Amino acid sequence: MTTAASRPVAVALLASVFVVAACGLVYELAAGALASYVLGDSILQFSTIIGSYLFAMGVGSWLSRYFERQLPAHFLRIELLVALVGGALPAILFIANAWTPDAFRLLLYGLVFLVGTLVGLEIPLVMRILKRDVALKDLVSQVLTFDYLGALAVSVAFPLLLVPHLGLVRTGLLFGFMNAAVALWALWLFRHELRQFGAHALACVLTLAVLATGFVGADRITTLAEDRFYQDRAVFSEQTPYQRIVVTHGRHGHRLYLNGNLQFAEHDEYRYHEALVHPAMAAHGAPRKVAVLGGGDGMAVREILKYPTVEQVTLVELDPAMTRLFRDHAPLAALNGEALRSPKVRVVNTDAFRWLEETQDIFDVVVVDFPDPTNFSIGKLYTNSFYALLDRHLAASGYAVVQSTSPLLARQSFWTVVATIESVGLQTAPYHAHVPSFGEWGFVLAGRRPWRAPKQLPEGLRFLDLDGVAALFDFPRDMARVPAEVNRLSNQVLVNLYEDEWGKAKP
């Protein structure tokens, strides 16, 4: 039974269980998020991170049997270690990815295992301390209740509040600070039991000071790491609920990166976007209603607006931060010619898959400009289920065009996209263009009627002319078609195929 005198201690320790559980889950989620940004394939990364973390917690729980005396002192020390290692984990991994990328994976799993082991030690020690004052049946139920509540609170707050408003580095340091605060609380609760009170107090103060300094300087840490990683100076960065957006500026102008992957470079983006848009738009003849799925930077919209027949462009972009950035940030808005401010443009910030399921609109041309299928959440936008929805919203004489990765470096992946589009009954016309920042890049033009070369292009293009358009559809032997499997929602073969091919292509 809990006595009146010991009840405040028991309540304080149970509250610490809530904080401990919340902090532990934050470190796990931060490691999984960073691993998916850097290594791709979010399902694989989160699965392996969670598995490694849980195994490490089991190791920690097993090791707790060897802590027999001075349990409050051991608990305090472990809290401080978790605060330092777990709180600094995102910052350490950011820096490692920028300065020693080859060591990133080893460091990632090493830190996950260390933090998991320390967290695995925490709860058994708390339970053994509480056992002095709480009956066993109440002890187990209360500790587990607070543990699960802490995990629930963080699992909701992490993607919706913490990462969008604080970023990964500050989120980690904030929860490290909370772990250190638990240690400080334990220092006060057990002040009469601790043999080296002064040393413990100094350790708490130093840990809190280190974490607070890191929190204040988090932007500087992130900027240093990103400047090193991207080689050019980062002029804008934002962690949104969907991705990390970084814009750099250097000798060759602006570059846009999403989760560390280059999306465009100012000095040659016109080659990519002219190749993406004009073979479909010019071949149609007189497109009036056009949709752009993805492409929140507005570059594709800029090219579409060069056609006087266009009456409305619907831009469907999941992340409102992207469209806001390329509408309101003057240097970036200048790159798309203020396209996102055109009265002809309607911006819809939602998931493109869901939007196609709900909208009734029919379009003359649909431009599909998603990032490459580096994970399953993006991979669903390359499945036959998605292309079947796309077909429903395409006019009988309309065309769709899909950016489809490199037919040279990811040949099997490119032709998998072609085979998947054809599986829903659309006719395809694959083509490619050379973009120096990317190399050979592929596109697939699709429709219910065969594609015919256009007879006219808009004025002022920097890359394409009529002869050049026809040349895009010629594939040399090393990019020619190969047998490919259909990418289905229930079995996204494309994601693993893409990761394998691009992994081999990296130096």
PDB file of all heavy atoms in Angstrom, residues 322-336:
ATOM      1  N   MET A 322       5.009  24.483 -50.034  1.00  0.00           N
ATOM      2  CA  MET A 322       5.647  24.582 -51.346  1.00  0.00           C
ATOM      3  C   MET A 322       5.001  25.670 -52.191  1.00  0.00           C
ATOM      4  O   MET A 322       5.685  26.551 -52.731  1.00  0.00           O
ATOM      5  CB  MET A 322       5.561  23.244 -52.080  1.00  0.00           C
ATOM      6  CG  MET A 322       6.660  22.273 -51.741  1.00  0.00           C
ATOM      7  SD  MET A 322       8.239  22.775 -52.439  1.00  0.00           S
ATOM      8  CE  MET A 322       7.910  22.531 -54.183  1.00  0.00           C
ATOM      9  N   THR A 323       3.699  25.629 -52.328  1.00  0.00           N
ATOM     10  CA  THR A 323       3.026  26.624 -53.176  1.00  0.00           C
ATOM     11  C   THR A 323       3.118  28.011 -52.560  1.00  0.00           C
ATOM     12  O   THR A 323       3.230  29.009 -53.284  1.00  0.00           O
ATOM     13  CB  THR A 323       1.564  26.230 -53.398  1.00  0.00           C
ATOM     14  OG1 THR A 323       0.944  25.899 -52.142  1.00  0.00           O
ATOM     15  CG2 THR A 323       1.459  25.020 -54.311  1.00  0.00           C
ATOM     16  N   ARG A 324       3.097  28.087 -51.252  1.00  0.00           N
ATOM     17  CA  ARG A 324       3.244  29.394 -50.592  1.00  0.00           C
ATOM     18  C   ARG A 324       4.637  29.963 -50.848  1.00  0.00           C
ATOM     19  O   ARG A 324       4.797  31.154 -51.147  1.00  0.00           O
ATOM     20  CB  ARG A 324       2.995  29.238 -49.094  1.00  0.00           C
ATOM     21  CG  ARG A 324       3.027  30.543 -48.321  1.00  0.00           C
ATOM     22  CD  ARG A 324       2.545  30.360 -46.886  1.00  0.00           C
ATOM     23  NE  ARG A 324       3.356  29.400 -46.148  1.00  0.00           N
ATOM     24  CZ  ARG A 324       2.918  28.222 -45.740  1.00  0.00           C
ATOM     25  NH1 ARG A 324       1.676  27.832 -46.017  1.00  0.00           N
ATOM     26  NH2 ARG A 324       3.700  27.400 -45.063  1.00  0.00           N
ATOM     27  N   LEU A 325       5.659  29.116 -50.750  1.00  0.00           N
ATOM     28  CA  LEU A 325       7.040  29.559 -50.961  1.00  0.00           C
ATOM     29  C   LEU A 325       7.244  30.086 -52.374  1.00  0.00           C
ATOM     30  O   LEU A 325       7.821  31.164 -52.573  1.00  0.00           O
ATOM     31  CB  LEU A 325       7.987  28.386 -50.690  1.00  0.00           C
ATOM     32  CG  LEU A 325       9.475  28.605 -51.006  1.00  0.00           C
ATOM     33  CD1 LEU A 325      10.052  29.695 -50.110  1.00  0.00           C
ATOM     34  CD2 LEU A 325      10.242  27.299 -50.841  1.00  0.00           C
ATOM     35  N   PHE A 326       6.739  29.348 -53.367  1.00  0.00           N
ATOM     36  CA  PHE A 326       6.971  29.734 -54.762  1.00  0.00           C
ATOM     37  C   PHE A 326       5.958  30.749 -55.278  1.00  0.00           C
ATOM     38  O   PHE A 326       6.041  31.182 -56.413  1.00  0.00           O
ATOM     39  CB  PHE A 326       7.012  28.491 -55.649  1.00  0.00           C
ATOM     40  CG  PHE A 326       8.322  27.767 -55.564  1.00  0.00           C
ATOM     41  CD1 PHE A 326       8.535  26.814 -54.587  1.00  0.00           C
ATOM     42  CD2 PHE A 326       9.349  28.066 -56.433  1.00  0.00           C
ATOM     43  CE1 PHE A 326       9.753  26.156 -54.481  1.00  0.00           C
ATOM     44  CE2 PHE A 326      10.566  27.420 -56.346  1.00  0.00           C
ATOM     45  CZ  PHE A 326      10.779  26.464 -55.370  1.00  0.00           C
ATOM     46  N   ARG A 327       5.048  31.145 -54.424  1.00  0.00           N
ATOM     47  CA  ARG A 327       4.153  32.257 -54.753  1.00  0.00           C
ATOM     48  C   ARG A 327       4.622  33.553 -54.101  1.00  0.00           C
ATOM     49  O   ARG A 327       4.559  34.618 -54.710  1.00  0.00           O
ATOM     50  CB  ARG A 327       2.737  31.938 -54.280  1.00  0.00           C
ATOM     51  CG  ARG A 327       1.694  33.004 -54.618  1.00  0.00           C
ATOM     52  CD  ARG A 327       0.444  32.782 -53.797  1.00  0.00           C
ATOM     53  NE  ARG A 327       0.711  32.939 -52.370  1.00  0.00           N
ATOM     54  CZ  ARG A 327      -0.015  32.363 -51.408  1.00  0.00           C
ATOM     55  NH1 ARG A 327      -1.029  31.574 -51.708  1.00  0.00           N
ATOM     56  NH2 ARG A 327       0.296  32.566 -50.132  1.00  0.00           N
ATOM     57  N   ASP A 328       5.133  33.462 -52.850  1.00  0.00           N
ATOM     58  CA  ASP A 328       5.384  34.658 -52.052  1.00  0.00           C
ATOM     59  C   ASP A 328       6.857  35.044 -51.935  1.00  0.00           C
ATOM     60  O   ASP A 328       7.156  36.191 -51.611  1.00  0.00           O
ATOM     61  CB  ASP A 328       4.807  34.478 -50.640  1.00  0.00           C
ATOM     62  CG  ASP A 328       3.304  34.262 -50.655  1.00  0.00           C
ATOM     63  OD1 ASP A 328       2.660  34.675 -51.642  1.00  0.00           O
ATOM     64  OD2 ASP A 328       2.773  33.671 -49.700  1.00  0.00           O
ATOM     65  N   HIS A 329       7.767  34.097 -52.145  1.00  0.00           N
ATOM     66  CA  HIS A 329       9.192  34.400 -52.028  1.00  0.00           C
ATOM     67  C   HIS A 329       9.664  34.971 -53.357  1.00  0.00           C
ATOM     68  O   HIS A 329       9.762  34.255 -54.359  1.00  0.00           O
ATOM     69  CB  HIS A 329       9.961  33.129 -51.668  1.00  0.00           C
ATOM     70  CG  HIS A 329      11.357  33.379 -51.208  1.00  0.00           C
ATOM     71  ND1 HIS A 329      12.410  33.558 -52.076  1.00  0.00           N
ATOM     72  CD2 HIS A 329      11.879  33.471 -49.966  1.00  0.00           C
ATOM     73  CE1 HIS A 329      13.529  33.739 -51.384  1.00  0.00           C
ATOM     74  NE2 HIS A 329      13.227  33.695 -50.097  1.00  0.00           N
ATOM     75  N   ALA A 330       9.959  36.267 -53.380  1.00  0.00           N
ATOM     76  CA  ALA A 330      10.163  36.999 -54.643  1.00  0.00           C
ATOM     77  C   ALA A 330      11.183  36.348 -55.585  1.00  0.00           C
ATOM     78  O   ALA A 330      10.884  36.169 -56.776  1.00  0.00           O
ATOM     79  CB  ALA A 330      10.542  38.443 -54.353  1.00  0.00           C
ATOM     80  N   PRO A 331      12.390  35.958 -55.134  1.00  0.00           N
ATOM     81  CA  PRO A 331      13.345  35.367 -56.075  1.00  0.00           C
ATOM     82  C   PRO A 331      12.854  34.058 -56.684  1.00  0.00           C
ATOM     83  O   PRO A 331      13.137  33.765 -57.850  1.00  0.00           O
ATOM     84  CB  PRO A 331      14.593  35.144 -55.206  1.00  0.00           C
ATOM     85  CG  PRO A 331      14.452  36.087 -54.066  1.00  0.00           C
ATOM     86  CD  PRO A 331      12.990  36.163 -53.805  1.00  0.00           C
ATOM     87  N   LEU A 332      12.111  33.272 -55.913  1.00  0.00           N
ATOM     88  CA  LEU A 332      11.604  32.001 -56.430  1.00  0.00           C
ATOM     89  C   LEU A 332      10.365  32.211 -57.305  1.00  0.00           C
ATOM     90  O   LEU A 332      10.190  31.519 -58.314  1.00  0.00           O
ATOM     91  CB  LEU A 332      11.297  31.053 -55.274  1.00  0.00           C
ATOM     92  CG  LEU A 332      12.494  30.704 -54.380  1.00  0.00           C
ATOM     93  CD1 LEU A 332      12.067  29.798 -53.237  1.00  0.00           C
ATOM     94  CD2 LEU A 332      13.603  30.047 -55.193  1.00  0.00           C
ATOM     95  N   ALA A 333       9.520  33.152 -56.917  1.00  0.00           N
ATOM     96  CA  ALA A 333       8.359  33.468 -57.752  1.00  0.00           C
ATOM     97  C   ALA A 333       8.803  33.997 -59.109  1.00  0.00           C
ATOM     98  O   ALA A 333       8.134  33.758 -60.127  1.00  0.00           O
ATOM     99  CB  ALA A 333       7.467  34.481 -57.046  1.00  0.00           C
ATOM    100  N   ALA A 334       9.938  34.681 -59.134  1.00  0.00           N
ATOM    101  CA  ALA A 334      10.453  35.180 -60.414  1.00  0.00           C
ATOM    102  C   ALA A 334      10.848  34.034 -61.334  1.00  0.00           C
ATOM    103  O   ALA A 334      10.738  34.143 -62.566  1.00  0.00           O
ATOM    104  CB  ALA A 334      11.658  36.088 -60.161  1.00  0.00           C
ATOM    105  N   LEU A 335      11.289  32.933 -60.761  1.00  0.00           N
ATOM    106  CA  LEU A 335      11.682  31.782 -61.585  1.00  0.00           C
ATOM    107  C   LEU A 335      10.483  31.194 -62.326  1.00  0.00           C
ATOM    108  O   LEU A 335      10.628  30.711 -63.456  1.00  0.00           O
ATOM    109  CB  LEU A 335      12.335  30.698 -60.716  1.00  0.00           C
ATOM    110  CG  LEU A 335      13.662  31.046 -60.045  1.00  0.00           C
ATOM    111  CD1 LEU A 335      14.183  29.850 -59.250  1.00  0.00           C
ATOM    112  CD2 LEU A 335      14.689  31.469 -61.087  1.00  0.00           C
ATOM    113  N   ASN A 336       9.326  31.186 -61.698  1.00  0.00           N
ATOM    114  CA  ASN A 336       8.140  30.654 -62.394  1.00  0.00           C
ATOM    115  C   ASN A 336       7.312  31.750 -63.051  1.00  0.00           C
ATOM    116  O   ASN A 336       6.161  31.514 -63.451  1.00  0.00           O
ATOM    117  CB  ASN A 336       7.279  29.789 -61.447  1.00  0.00           C
ATOM    118  CG  ASN A 336       6.711  30.571 -60.273  1.00  0.00           C
ATOM    119  OD1 ASN A 336       6.301  31.719 -60.405  1.00  0.00           O
ATOM    120  ND2 ASN A 336       6.665  29.932 -59.102  1.00  0.00           N
TER     121      ASN A 336
END
